[in-house]
């Protein structure tokens, strides 16, 4: 080995940081080649990107070739070794390039003096994006290991380079800025990916509705009372249709969220007031506007913030009647196929948007682990979080493209960009292939068994969980049915949902997390007194213990639903041993009650605690003596350990899953579980991030629960880990205190796994 590849890998963190720091797209590519050339001790490193219009490879950045050649050197696919690598989608490595019959040095760039030549195609699936080349004056300079490393780096950079390539067509915009609108230019913004998926659609900026636009101008013909009644009947029919759509999509009790609007539509006081005004000669349109406005004002005056939100329901009802009266386009379609730009969202709004077939959401507040984002993932709505309020000024009807994975939002993209993205979408065929390649059980490279479970938010998630061979449910977020409806669900209503979950998972283990409301999961129908810090307030288990009747209903519903199944119950946000014992005793009491009533139920479920609050770390051994299992909720554990609001985009840069305090806390929990022979899992977002898998296995975690769509990737990742090496790796990480150093070590480790995969792939060929 002539140069330090290990250093190159460990510097990948820094390299990727360049993507966000680079102020200029061309500079970004230049940074990449500079960095790689320096690390590889090579004489040149260059990036060529394929231009769809000219069908040529263009030199976009180079370190070592003549600088003036950037943008000027163009190669046909198949031309020279670079062109061959691109055309044939293969690595070309020559110790003495001139001996290859395909060798054609590009005239005027000074290539002739380089002997060793390595070209790696930049591919996404089968789609060719470009080529990265690297050269040295020395003969036989690049080793097989270099090829693997270079391959790994190229695949790591593919999505960024692809995006750069797309964006380079709209010239010199700066990352993180919106470029002023020019009809032929694309504007773009870099946000954070919240819910994966691609959306292309016309924008709708959601702002409070204006009823005024429906008022009848003086002298114009107004509708009659019959039109009004027909419009009301039509509105009711539409709302029932939405309810049914919700049921069909198996979203649980969600359809009930529309009950509030249906009730408003049937409400004698509201309709009566409208009819009275119409009877007095007011045009029906104006009567609707007047009465709705009165109600909006009343809701606005309510002390309770969550009741105030009802203003949107009453406005929605009013708009629906008015749209029907005006014979305008079906109100149901108002968000169908659209990309919605909105400052804040309620769970019910996410659901309504989903039922109406929204294409995607750009959210101007919230974090990637916020519950609106989690809900959007369950509903398969691509969502990007962007901290840029100028997006609210985008004109409705502007074409928007958003990529929920990378967080890119393009405004008014041209057809080539849309085409490129649509191709990208087509490569989800890769996912299907991986699905076929999945095994029923997951094992590490050295054969250690790891159990992969799913996090389930809505029943609709079960289909993905089953498709990706989930071994059970490690976290059922039971609060979602509570969040998505207009009132507390009864024991019976909960039983129906839980039973369906048990039935659909056929004998596999299911962990019910009891109600976890509060924080960013406020119940619209609960009268919270205003809390300055809801994440530190009446949240999770505190809420359940304060409202025993609600808690007991839930526990009874769970115990009944799991009478013949392997169900487990866990409590969120446990902060002391007494709290756990109190909650656990309520489970036992509920079971005794059911027994006395002669109702079939699960008498002895496993009962465990989520590890999310730092205080519990200090009493973890005592807790282990009481609890049957632990599940580490890393989303909250990070939030509370680091004092960083997980939903606040402004402090997202301080939210470090790999902070040494977090990693050491996890190790303490894992050790305690091991000492007391307690089951332990990780169910926060760290469980689906390949970067943390070695570490988690290294500290002894053998059970992970994650969003089902990540299961294939994580199974693959586990298969590349040797547990003995992982233990050494975790021990090394746990000695470190510097967050950046830890990040680099984690990146280097995951990259090594990528290169292992590449080596295996090549061996097969
Ligand atoms: C967590 O906090 O990591 C967790 C899994 O729970 P939730 O994201 O629902 O708060
Ligand atoms: Mg949590």
């Amino acid at each position: 080995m002539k140069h330090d590849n290990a250093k190159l890998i460990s510097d990948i963190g820094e390299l990727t940081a360049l993507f966000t720091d680079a102020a200029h797209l061309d500079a970004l590519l230049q940074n990449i080649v500079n960095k790689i050339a320096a690390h590889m001790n090579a004489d040149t490193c260059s990036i060529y990107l394929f231009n769809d219009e000219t069908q040529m490879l263009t030199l976009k950045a180079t370190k070592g070739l003549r600088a003036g050649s950037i943008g000027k050197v163009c190669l046909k696919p198949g031309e020279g070794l670079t062109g061959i690598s691109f055309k044939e989608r293969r690595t070309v490595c020559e110790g003495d390039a001139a001996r290859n019959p395909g060798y054609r040095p590009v005239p005027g760039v000074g290539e002739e003096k380089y002997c060793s030549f390595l070209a790696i195609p930049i591919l996404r699936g089968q789609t060719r994006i470009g080529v990265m080349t690297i050269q040295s004056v020395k003969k036989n300079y690049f080793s097989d290991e270099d090829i693997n490393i270079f391959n790994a780096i190229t695949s790591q950079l593919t999505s960024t380079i692809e995006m750069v390539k797309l964006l380079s067509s709209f010239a010199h915009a700066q990352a993180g800025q919106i470029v002023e609108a020019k009809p032929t230019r694309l504007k773009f913004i870099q946000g954070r990916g919240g819910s994966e998926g691609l959306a292309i659609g016309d924008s709708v900026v959601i702002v409070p509705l204006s009823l005024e636009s429906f008022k009848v101008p003086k002298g114009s013909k107004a509708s009659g009372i019959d039109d009004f009644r027909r419009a009301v009947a039509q509105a009711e029919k539409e709302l029932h249709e939405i309810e049914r759509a919700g049921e069909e999509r198996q979203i649980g009790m969600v359809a009930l969220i529309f009950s509030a609007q249906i009730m408003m539509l049937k409400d004698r006081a509201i309709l009566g007031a409208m009819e009275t005004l119409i009877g007095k000669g007011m045009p029906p349109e104006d009567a609707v506007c007047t009465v709705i406005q009165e109600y909006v004002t009343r809701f606005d005056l309510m002390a309770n913030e969550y009741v105030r939100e009802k203003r949107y329901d009453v406005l929605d009802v009013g708009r629906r009647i008015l749209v029907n009266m005006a014979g305008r386009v079906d109100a149901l379609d108002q968000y169908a196929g659209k990309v919605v730009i909105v400052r804040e969202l309620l769970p019910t709004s996410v659901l309504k948007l989903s039922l109406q077939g929204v294409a995607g959401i750009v959210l101007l507040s919230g974090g990637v682990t916020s519950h609106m984002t989690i809900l959007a993932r369950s509903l398969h709505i691509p969502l990007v979080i962007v901290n840029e309020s100028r997006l609210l000024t985008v004109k409705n009807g502007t074409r928007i493209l958003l990529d929920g994975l990378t967080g890119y939002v393009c405004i008014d993209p041209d057809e080539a960009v849309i085409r490129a993205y649509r191709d990208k979408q087509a490569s989800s065929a890769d996912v299907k292939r991986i699905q076929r390649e999945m095994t029923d059980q997951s094992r590490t490279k050295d054969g250690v068994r790891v159990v992969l479970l799913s996090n389930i938010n809505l029943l609709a998630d079960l289909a993905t969980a089953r498709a990706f061979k989930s071994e059970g449910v490690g976290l059922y977020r039971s609060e979602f049915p509570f969040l998505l409806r207009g009132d507390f669900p009864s024991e019976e209503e909960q039983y129906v949902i839980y039973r369906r979950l048990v039935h659909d998972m056929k004998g596999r283990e299911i962990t019910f997390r009891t109600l976890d409301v509060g924080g960013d999961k406020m119940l619209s129908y609960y009268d919270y007194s205003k809390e300055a810090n809801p994440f530190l307030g009446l949240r999770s288990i505190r809420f359940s213990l304060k409202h025993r009747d609600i808690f007991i209903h839930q526990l009874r519903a769970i115990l009944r639903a799991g009478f013949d199944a392997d169900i487990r119950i866990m409590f969120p946000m446990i902060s002391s041993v007494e709290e756990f014992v109190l909650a656990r005793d309520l489970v036992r009491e509920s079971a005794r009650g059911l027994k006395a009533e002669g109702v079939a139920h699960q008498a002895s479920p496993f009962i465990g605690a989520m590890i999310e609050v730092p205080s519990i770390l200090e009493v973890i051994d005592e807790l282990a003596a009481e609890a049957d299992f632990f599940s580490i909720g890393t989303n909250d554990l990070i939030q509370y350990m680091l004092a960083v609001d997980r939903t606040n985009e402004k402090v997202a840069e301080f939210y470090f899953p790999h902070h040494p305090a977090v990693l050491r806390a996890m190790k303490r929990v894992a050790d305690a579980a091991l000492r007391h022979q307690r089951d332990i899992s990780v169910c926060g977002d760290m469980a689906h991030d390949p970067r943390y898998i070695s570490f988690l296995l290294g500290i002894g975690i053998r059970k992970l629960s994650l969003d089902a769509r990540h299961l294939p990737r994580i199974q693959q990742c586990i298969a590349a880990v040797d547990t003995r090496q992982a233990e050494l790796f975790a021990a090394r990480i746990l000695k470190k205190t510097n967050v950046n150093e830890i990040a680099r070590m984690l990146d280097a480790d995951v990259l090594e796994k990528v290169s292992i995969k590449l080596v295996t792939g090549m061996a097969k060929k």
Side-chain angles (χ1 to χ4, degrees):
M1 189 169 79
K2 301 170 217 73
H3 40 261
D4 188 357
N5 282 336
K7 174 147 173 42
L8 174 60
I9 292 181
S10 74
D11 270 8
I12 282 297
E14 206 180 307
L15 195 60
T16 41
L18 292 172
F19 301 148
T20 44
D21 291 344
H24 194 285
L25 298 172
D26 292 343
L28 168 67
L29 290 175
Q30 193 58 46
N31 274 331
I32 294 172
V33 293
N34 289 349
K35 198 89 183 165
I36 293 177
H39 277 287
M40 303 284 274
N41 254 331
D43 296 307
T44 79
C45 179
S46 312
I47 293 176
Y48 295 80
L49 297 182
F50 186 62
N51 184 320
D52 294 312
E53 273 168 34
T54 61
Q55 294 287 299
M56 299 283 269
L57 278 166
T58 308
L59 180 66
K60 298 300 286 185
T62 184
K63 164 80 182 142
L65 297 183
R66 207 164 50 76
S69 53
I70 292 173
K72 302 210 179 87
V73 170
C74 295
L75 303 171
K76 288 199 204 91
E79 185 180 346
L81 298 181
T82 305
I84 289 173
S85 167
F86 177 79
K87 186 171 175 203
E88 299 179 8
R89 298 187 181 89
R90 68 179 173 91
T91 299
V92 174
C93 182
E94 290 295 338
D96 186 358
R99 295 170 70 117
N100 186 311
Y103 178 64
R104 303 265 181 289
V106 180
V109 300
E111 250 193 333
E112 295 79 358
K113 57 179 176 284
Y114 303 116
C115 293
S116 293
F117 175 94
L118 173 58
I120 308 264
I122 304 168
L123 303 172
R124 194 209 350 100
Q126 283 304 294
T127 309
R128 287 175 289 218
I129 296 165
V131 181
M132 180 128 62
T133 64
I134 187 155
Q135 292 164 293
S136 170
V137 288
K138 296 182 194 145
K139 280 192 185 167
N140 301 319
Y141 188 66
F142 300 111
S143 64
D144 284 352
E145 192 190 345
D146 292 342
I147 297 175
N148 285 343
I149 299 302
F150 203 43
N151 240 321
I153 293 167
T154 311
S155 69
Q156 176 95 343
L157 302 179
T158 299
S159 69
T160 309
I161 289 181
E162 185 187 27
M163 197 59 213
V164 169
K165 182 181 169 237
L166 290 175
L167 298 181
S168 58
S169 62
F170 36 94
H172 303 298
Q174 290 193 344
Q177 287 191 347
I178 300 181
V179 178
E180 288 310 312
K182 294 220 176 97
T184 54
R185 270 225 190 140
L186 186 66
K187 300 174 290 178
F188 73 97
I189 189 161
Q190 170 73 72
R192 281 157 48 89
S195 168
E196 254 175 61
L198 179 71
I200 301 165
D202 290 346
S203 65
V204 182
V205 177
I206 298 191
V207 282
L209 292 164
S210 151
L211 294 177
E212 293 303 309
S213 64
F214 287 93
K215 281 199 167 167
V216 181
K218 278 215 167 68
S220 307
K221 189 174 170 313
S223 310
I225 184 87
D226 290 343
D227 299 322
F228 167 74
R229 289 182 180 148
R230 252 197 310 275
V232 171
Q234 175 65 18
E236 193 180 330
K237 196 168 142 236
E238 287 165 1
L239 286 171
H240 282 300
E241 274 166 20
I242 301 176
E243 274 189 325
R244 256 196 308 282
E247 282 300 327
E248 274 164 24
R249 288 186 50 195
Q250 293 212 343
I251 306 174
M253 294 198 252
V254 305
L256 291 173
I257 63 162
F258 289 96
S259 59
Q261 292 198 11
I262 294 177
M263 264 164 61
M264 284 174 184
L265 255 183
K266 288 183 167 164
D267 188 277
R268 291 210 149 275
I270 297 182
L271 284 193
M274 290 173 184
E275 294 219 358
T276 307
L277 290 177
I278 297 168
K280 285 183 182 159
M282 189 184 272
E285 288 86 347
D286 294 15
V288 174
C289 289
T290 308
V291 174
I292 294 290
Q293 199 52 60
E294 264 174 36
Y295 273 82
V296 169
T297 312
R298 273 194 223 173
F299 282 123
D300 284 348
L301 290 174
M302 299 299 231
N304 180 321
E305 169 179 356
Y306 300 94
V307 178
R308 281 208 300 276
E309 295 292 344
K310 293 266 175 257
R311 76 192 304 278
Y312 295 110
D313 278 319
V314 80
L315 272 168
D316 223 14
V317 167
R319 187 196 39 76
R320 197 175 286 281
I321 300 173
L322 290 165
V323 165
N324 286 337
M325 237 188 310
R328 290 199 197 163
V329 201
D330 184 358
L332 278 186
D333 287 339
Q334 68 175 321
Y335 298 118
K338 299 280 196 311
V339 171
V340 160
I341 303 172
V342 60
R343 184 173 290 285
E344 269 178 5
L345 271 180
L346 297 170
T348 43
S349 327
V350 184
L351 194 68
K352 283 179 200 165
L353 291 172
S354 160
L355 292 176
Q356 291 176 358
V358 74
I361 299 176
V362 181
L363 185 59
L364 278 88
S365 62
V368 287
T369 64
S370 83
H371 287 92
M372 293 320 107
T373 312
I374 289 172
L375 184 56
R377 286 184 210 151
S378 283
L379 293 165
H380 305 288
I381 309 174
L383 179 144
V384 170
I385 301 154
V386 175
N387 190 8
E388 175 52 84
S389 28
R390 279 181 298 163
L391 264 176
L392 290 171
T393 61
V394 168
K395 234 173 103 204
N396 279 351
T398 308
R399 183 70 76 89
I400 303 272
L401 181 153
L402 71 85
D403 182 346
L405 180 66
T406 59
Y408 284 105
V409 179
C410 297
I411 300 144
D412 200 17
D414 60 30
E415 281 309 315
V417 174
I418 293 177
R419 238 191 349 265
Y421 258 99
R422 289 228 157 99
D423 287 353
K424 186 173 164 173
Q425 206 171 24
S427 76
S428 64
D430 286 351
V431 176
K432 295 216 173 67
R433 177 183 50 75
I434 294 169
Q435 183 186 335
R436 280 196 304 274
E437 286 172 5
M438 282 190 78
T439 51
D440 290 342
Q441 295 190 337
S442 304
R443 287 188 192 279
T444 62
K445 202 159 92 182
D446 52 333
V448 174
R449 184 83 169 81
V450 179
V451 177
L452 285 188
L453 306 167
S454 307
N455 290 351
I456 299 291
N457 308 323
L458 301 175
L459 293 178
D461 298 331
L462 288 170
T464 320
R466 280 194 308 265
F468 286 157
K469 309 189 177 183
S470 171
E471 293 187 57
V473 176
L475 168 66
Y476 172 59
R477 289 188 167 99
S478 70
E479 58 277 7
F480 276 99
F482 286 73
L483 286 167
L484 297 173
R485 48 165 292 154
D487 202 352
F488 284 106
S490 65
E491 178 183 322
E492 214 46 43
E493 285 170 317
Q494 292 178 63
Y495 168 78
V496 170
I497 294 188
Y498 302 160
R499 187 66 199 155
R500 222 154 91 192
L501 178 65
V502 169
H503 176 263
D504 281 16
M505 286 317 281
K506 293 198 185 64
R508 281 169 269 193
E509 78 174 63
I510 301 172
T511 302
F512 286 87
R513 195 250 311 263
T514 59
L515 196 56
D516 185 19
V517 291
D520 67 337
K521 291 183 283 191
M522 298 294 195
L523 300 172
S524 58
Y525 44 89
Y526 177 75
D527 194 4
Y528 295 85
S529 53
K530 178 110 184 113
E531 291 184 303
N533 297 300
F535 274 110
L536 305 181
L538 192 62
R539 228 202 117 180
S540 303
I541 194 65
R542 296 175 187 167
F543 182 96
S544 295
L545 291 176
K546 178 129 189 155
H547 297 284
R548 295 282 170 93
D549 49 338
I550 297 169
F551 193 34
I552 303 262
H553 281 148
Q554 175 169 46
L555 294 174
R556 284 171 58 93
I558 295 171
L559 293 170
R560 285 173 55 203
F563 74 94
D564 56 353
D566 177 7
I567 59 153
R568 292 144 194 247
I569 296 178
M570 75 177 172
F571 309 122
M573 224 187 134
I574 288 291
S575 61
S576 71
V577 179
E578 303 84 84
E579 200 170 37
F580 176 80
V581 169
L582 195 57
R584 184 199 59 195
D585 289 350
L586 287 170
V587 178
R588 293 180 177 166
E589 192 184 306
S590 306
R592 279 197 298 275
L594 287 166
K595 186 170 177 207
E597 291 164 35
V599 179
H601 66 284
Q602 174 56 258
S604 49
F606 257 36
I607 305 175
M610 286 193 80
I611 306 299
E612 305 185 285
V613 181
S615 60
I616 207 65
L617 299 169
E618 298 302 325
V619 288
I620 196 74
D621 282 295
E622 290 87 340
L623 182 67
E626 301 290 344
D628 294 324
F629 66 93
F630 296 151
S631 189
I632 308 180
T634 54
N635 304 338
D636 276 316
L637 185 65
I638 299 163
Q639 149 164 282
Y640 292 124
M641 286 204 79
L642 306 185
V644 178
D645 179 346
R646 66 193 257 189
T647 67
N648 185 346
E649 182 62 10
K650 289 196 194 101
V651 290
E653 65 191 287
F654 302 107
Y655 189 91
F656 299 116
H658 52 276
H659 191 292
V662 174
L663 301 182
R664 290 177 194 187
M666 294 177 77
K667 164 84 168 127
R668 277 177 78 185
V669 179
D671 285 350
L674 208 68
R675 267 197 306 281
H676 296 266
Q677 298 175 346
R678 296 291 186 254
D679 202 25
I680 177 159
S681 63
V682 173
C683 65
D685 283 8
M686 273 174 91
H688 74 232
D689 190 331
R691 271 179 306 173
Y692 303 116
I693 298 302
S694 279
F695 175 80
L696 296 178
L697 297 178
I699 59 169
I701 302 289
R702 296 289 179 267
K703 198 182 252 191
L704 300 171
S705 188
L706 41 138
D707 276 7
R709 70 211 154 91
H710 298 295
L711 288 169
R713 196 165 52 138
I714 295 304
Q715 184 175 73
Q716 271 193 351
C717 206
I718 287 169
V721 175
D722 178 289
T723 49
R724 285 164 304 233
Q725 280 177 13
E727 275 165 29
L728 296 174
F729 175 67
R732 271 196 293 127
I733 291 255
L734 288 164
K735 288 206 182 87
K736 303 287 176 194
T737 50
N738 182 301
V739 177
N740 293 330
E741 192 181 354
I742 295 175
R744 281 199 291 276
M745 287 171 73
L746 292 164
D747 283 350
D749 176 73
V750 79
L751 207 66
E752 234 170 53
K753 304 284 174 306
V754 175
S755 68
I756 284 166
K757 222 180 82 207
L758 285 165
V759 175
T760 326
M762 285 197 291
K764 272 189 210 144
K765 281 178 215 155

